[in-house]
Amino acid sequence: MDRGLRVGFLASHPIQYLSPLFRELDTRVDLHVFYAHNPNPKQQADAGFDVEFEWDTDLLSGYEYTFLQNEAANPDAREGNFFGCDTPEIYDRISEGHFDAFIVNGWYLKSFWQAVWACRRAEIPVFARGDSQLHTPRSWWKQAVKEVGHRALLRVFDGFLSVGEQFDEYLRHYGVPEERIYRAPHAVDNAWFFERAQRATEDKARQELRTELEVDPETTILLFVGKFIPVKRAGDLLKALKVLEDKEDVCAVYVGSGPLEDELAREAERLDVPAHFVGFKNQSALPPYYALADALVLPSESETWGLVVNEAMACGTPAIVSEAVGCRPDLIVDGKTGYSFPVGDVNALSEVVKRLIADNESGHDFEAAVREHIDQYSIEAAAEGIVSAMHTVAHSKTVAR
């Protein structure tokens, strides 16, 4: 721990996955977090949930933070809206903050670049933490522009806090030297999820959920958690169940909401497959569903990481993911912590489900394997990687001066 190291961190808005990391970092360094936007419940709905809500876990205690004045004409922190966060105030905050290092949580917003230029002007080492990957579908002209532009843009950073293998690959592709890449894995509060999943099991909440859903104890439950939007391909799970019809005792449980919810429910009825739609569940209500499931299924055609996989694994639940899911190389050990399949191949997905059932019947202890593996992707590991990077670069800058 070095509370003498002063670190600034700019995030788009309060995010349930980042708050535990900020609390852990604050025990190791003198941390100050800046937020470029403070979304209201309606903006949360517009982000794809289709339900107005506020997170039911505490996102703001345990560390110092400041909400910056967002001067954008149409305030919006979503990726793809570069001008949705415009915070010129960050220039003064950085110049007066006496930071030894500064982190921006990506480069997709104007606010992030305002912070980068402020750091360059103040000669403060600046890092980017991200999870971009090369396999995100893009038109040929966007790829051509990125080939030229990204090589130049990424040179302005002193270092990168990489969450996993696919971001490593991305950075190397655009010419980032190996010595500027530091590992700070994507993580959730593993202990928080595990304790609540265990509590659900001990309190028989898991069995109560089965009873509520009218699912037999022998039925294999496949869980989808997320927004019902096209890129998630949630309907592929229904199609895979149709392929399995009369062959295996399997059902799907959908936790989430979004514009495709009614369409998915109609598709389940049309295919005549067992599926339960339980609606949006806030953070504290998720662990019992992870504990209930035999596996999480994430069929996305584009997913930079997929933190629901971390959540499921923290609860001891394996995951089945498409090959487009960014966490696949890091979290999925085939046949041990889960399985993967080609995007959109519902026959392959159904075969993977058969393997899951067979492995369960043979006595494979998924929970032990999953929990052992996810320990490497913890809040503590992420904080340790960040602090190590800060020390290395801040020290080298001091020596250079």
Side-chain angles (χ1 to χ4, degrees):
M1 180 176 73
D2 183 0
R3 292 284 298 175
L5 185 68
R6 183 155 171 77
V7 177
F9 197 119
L10 176 61
S12 57
H13 63 291
I15 298 170
Q16 73 273 28
Y17 301 121
L18 284 180
S19 296
L21 176 59
F22 293 154
R23 294 186 187 103
E24 180 63 27
L25 277 173
D26 193 67
T27 68
R28 299 169 185 247
V29 298
D30 181 7
L31 177 71
H32 195 99
V33 176
F34 297 94
Y35 288 115
H37 184 57
N38 189 12
N40 58 40
K42 183 181 185 306
Q43 289 171 323
Q44 297 274 36
D46 292 342
F49 289 101
D50 250 21
V51 172
E52 293 188 15
F53 73 97
E54 293 182 349
W55 294 111
D56 66 354
T57 53
D58 181 9
L59 304 187
L60 297 175
S61 70
Y63 61 93
E64 292 184 356
Y65 65 91
T66 299
F67 280 102
L68 300 170
Q69 181 66 37
N70 187 358
E71 298 182 6
N74 297 298
D76 187 352
R78 285 177 291 179
E79 193 163 354
N81 189 0
F82 180 80
F83 296 101
C85 289
D86 181 0
T87 55
E89 175 188 354
I90 195 66
Y91 289 105
D92 290 337
R93 293 284 189 169
I94 288 175
S95 67
E96 299 167 0
H98 305 291
F99 295 109
D100 296 296
F102 200 91
I103 304 166
V104 292
N105 199 47
W107 50 75
Y108 61 91
L109 292 170
K110 181 179 180 180
S111 293
F112 292 145
W113 287 105
Q114 289 169 323
V116 170
W117 303 136
C119 289
R120 293 270 65 89
R121 189 169 63 186
E123 297 185 343
I124 296 170
V126 60
F127 294 77
R129 187 168 190 251
D131 54 13
S132 297
Q133 57 161 298
L134 295 173
H135 311 289
T136 302
R138 292 186 179 91
S139 62
W140 68 267
W141 65 269
K142 283 187 178 180
Q143 290 178 356
V145 169
K146 289 188 69 145
E147 282 297 326
V148 177
H150 268 50
R151 291 180 184 274
L153 289 174
L154 297 184
R155 290 194 190 105
V156 306
F157 294 101
D158 293 281
F160 295 87
L161 304 170
S162 175
V163 301
E165 291 186 21
Q166 295 214 9
F167 192 44
D168 288 353
E169 178 190 25
Y170 179 95
L171 294 170
R172 294 188 192 107
H173 176 83
Y174 288 112
V176 175
E178 198 72 34
E179 62 270 18
R180 290 168 62 200
I181 302 173
Y182 302 86
R183 181 55 61 88
H186 256 326
V188 300
D189 189 339
N190 292 342
W192 187 92
F193 278 95
F194 176 71
E195 289 168 6
R196 282 155 181 77
Q198 287 294 102
R199 194 182 306 159
T201 301
E202 293 166 3
D203 294 346
K204 299 184 179 179
R206 181 168 60 178
Q207 183 55 46
E208 289 171 4
L209 277 178
R210 276 190 179 265
T211 302
E212 180 182 324
L213 297 171
E214 298 181 351
V215 177
D216 293 334
E218 298 80 18
T219 299
T220 296
I221 295 178
L222 303 177
L223 178 70
F224 175 92
V225 177
K227 301 173 185 176
F228 300 148
I229 54 179
V231 72
K232 299 288 188 179
R233 299 189 67 95
D236 286 359
L237 176 54
L238 299 174
K239 295 171 185 175
L241 290 185
K242 185 64 176 178
V243 173
L244 287 167
E245 191 174 34
D246 298 329
K247 298 174 185 174
E248 303 289 355
D249 189 7
V250 184
C251 79
V253 173
Y254 283 87
V255 175
S257 57
L260 298 183
E261 185 169 1
D262 290 342
E263 182 179 322
L264 283 167
R266 288 195 297 269
E267 180 73 352
E269 187 175 353
R270 184 185 70 80
L271 294 174
D272 192 25
V273 294
H276 306 271
F277 296 85
V278 300
F280 172 81
K281 299 296 178 184
N282 218 314
Q283 195 80 352
S284 63
L286 287 177
Y289 285 94
Y290 288 126
L292 171 73
D294 291 277
L296 174 79
V297 179
L298 188 58
S300 305
E301 65 185 44
S302 178
E303 190 87 41
T304 53
W305 182 265
L307 279 157
V308 291
V309 178
N310 293 69
E311 292 180 348
M313 288 189 171
C315 295
T317 302
I320 299 172
V321 306
S322 80
E323 292 175 355
V325 174
C327 70
R328 179 184 58 83
D330 299 88
L331 299 187
I332 304 301
V333 181
D334 188 64
K336 293 184 178 180
T337 66
Y339 314 86
S340 64
F341 64 96
V343 177
D345 190 338
V346 296
N347 290 312
L349 174 54
S350 69
E351 288 301 316
V352 163
V353 172
K354 289 181 186 177
R355 284 186 61 194
L356 170 76
I357 294 169
D359 286 343
N360 273 328
E361 290 176 347
S362 69
H364 176 56
D365 189 352
F366 277 108
E367 181 174 351
V370 164
R371 294 210 65 243
E372 180 181 0
H373 190 72
I374 201 63
D375 280 347
Q376 304 169 53
Y377 298 83
S378 66
I379 293 296
E380 293 77 15
E384 183 176 342
I386 291 171
V387 174
S388 176
M390 302 295 102
H391 273 294
T392 301
V393 173
H395 176 72
S396 67
K397 286 277 185 178
T398 301
V399 170
R401 288 173 190 160

